[in-house]
Amino acid sequence: MNILHIDSSPRLGSHSRQLSAAIIEKLLEVAPGASIIRRDLGAEPLPQTEPLYAVALASPATLAAPPMGSLDLSEALIREVEAADVIVIGTPMHNLTIPSVLKAWIDQILRVGRTMKSTPSGKVGMLRDRPVYIGVASGGFFTGERANQPDFLTPYLSLALSSIGLKTQQFLPLQGTAFLDRSQAPLARDKALAALDLTAAEHFREFHDRPAMLTSGSRPYRDVLSLRQASPGVS
């Protein structure tokens, strides 16, 4: 099984990083031989939409004959998604929605004619479905009986992923992180993780014959998993 692991918090010890690392640990219990592609958007942000990329996406004609090199980054990121059997995303909630670094990734992988097509009834995904687990850390509360703020993150990210064919999604919220002290953080994280449903991921059990490895990123994967013992930090 191939896992694409994406983090988007700028803080190394953040709650969302620890939550996504904990999801990876659970997946490795199911698939100990999984290969892992690491995309750390917080540590290595993608560029915002550049002029040539915008030119390429401007019309069907420019998409058919894009400027040289304009789609290279988009293609590389899409191929990472295509190579994955499971995707894990760790994200904080920044000002009611996703961080700009995660939006930059979405802007590269949502591409008409490549990952989705427009129809009279709306956008239709062109990629095969696969499980996507999204660990969301928020300083306040956006769902449940204590919710006191709107949630633009979940509906946006769900629609964006669905529009390219990634419809099997599970959001795992870790809320109220601004009010957690160091001793409370592990319990809160474990409570969020208790809802994790690995049924869809277990479908890929027959592909578990490759050793776990890091194929991109800036540090050994064991360091990513050790974040659960790091300082809780912020979302």
Side-chain angles (χ1 to χ4, degrees), residues 24-215:
I24 292 291
E25 286 188 52
K26 291 296 185 181
L27 284 168
L28 291 177
E29 291 176 5
V30 173
S35 295
I36 300 171
I37 299 173
R38 182 79 169 114
R39 177 62 65 175
D40 193 335
L41 304 175
E44 299 179 359
L46 298 171
Q48 299 298 316
T49 301
E50 296 179 334
L52 287 182
Y53 184 61
V55 168
L57 270 60
S59 69
T62 53
L63 268 175
M68 183 175 297
S70 60
L71 301 180
D72 289 355
L73 176 59
S74 172
E75 191 62 28
L77 296 174
I78 291 170
R79 288 181 180 178
E80 286 182 353
V81 172
E82 289 178 321
D85 299 305
V86 178
I87 299 172
V88 176
I89 299 174
T91 180
M93 178 178 280
H94 282 178
N95 299 319
L96 312 179
T97 188
I98 61 172
S100 62
V101 292
L102 185 54
K103 178 62 163 59
W105 178 75
I106 290 171
D107 288 342
Q108 295 286 343
I109 66 167
L110 270 65
R111 204 169 96 209
V112 173
R114 179 63 176 85
T115 59
M116 63 182 179
K117 56 185 176 181
S118 294
T119 73
S121 57
K123 292 181 173 62
V124 176
M126 298 173 66
L127 302 185
R128 67 172 175 84
D129 192 15
R130 68 212 74 200
V132 184
Y133 299 100
I134 305 105
V136 182
S138 63
F141 295 86
F142 62 89
T143 186
E145 60 183 24
R146 299 181 65 183
N148 59 4
Q149 64 185 43
D151 171 20
F152 299 107
L153 184 154
T154 304
Y156 168 72
L157 194 51
S158 178
L159 181 60
L161 295 172
S162 295
S163 71
I164 62 174
L166 308 182
K167 298 182 178 181
T168 302
Q169 308 165 6
Q170 184 179 15
F171 286 83
L172 299 166
L174 174 55
Q175 305 182 84
T177 60
F179 309 102
L180 296 176
D181 61 30
R182 185 184 183 90
S183 63
Q184 295 171 319
L187 182 60
R189 184 172 58 249
D190 289 344
K191 183 178 179 180
L193 200 64
L196 182 64
D197 182 0
L198 296 177
T199 304
E202 289 172 349
H203 174 72
F204 298 97
R205 194 184 291 269
E206 63 269 27
F207 301 111
H208 298 174
D209 57 348
R210 280 175 290 183
M213 61 184 292
L214 177 72
T215 58

Side-chain angles (χ1 to χ4, degrees), residues 13-16 18 180-183 185-186 189 227 230-235:
S14 72
H15 291 287
S16 64
Q18 294 185 68
L180 296 176
D181 61 30
R182 185 184 183 90
S183 63
R189 184 172 58 249
L227 288 177
S231 170
V234 296
S235 298

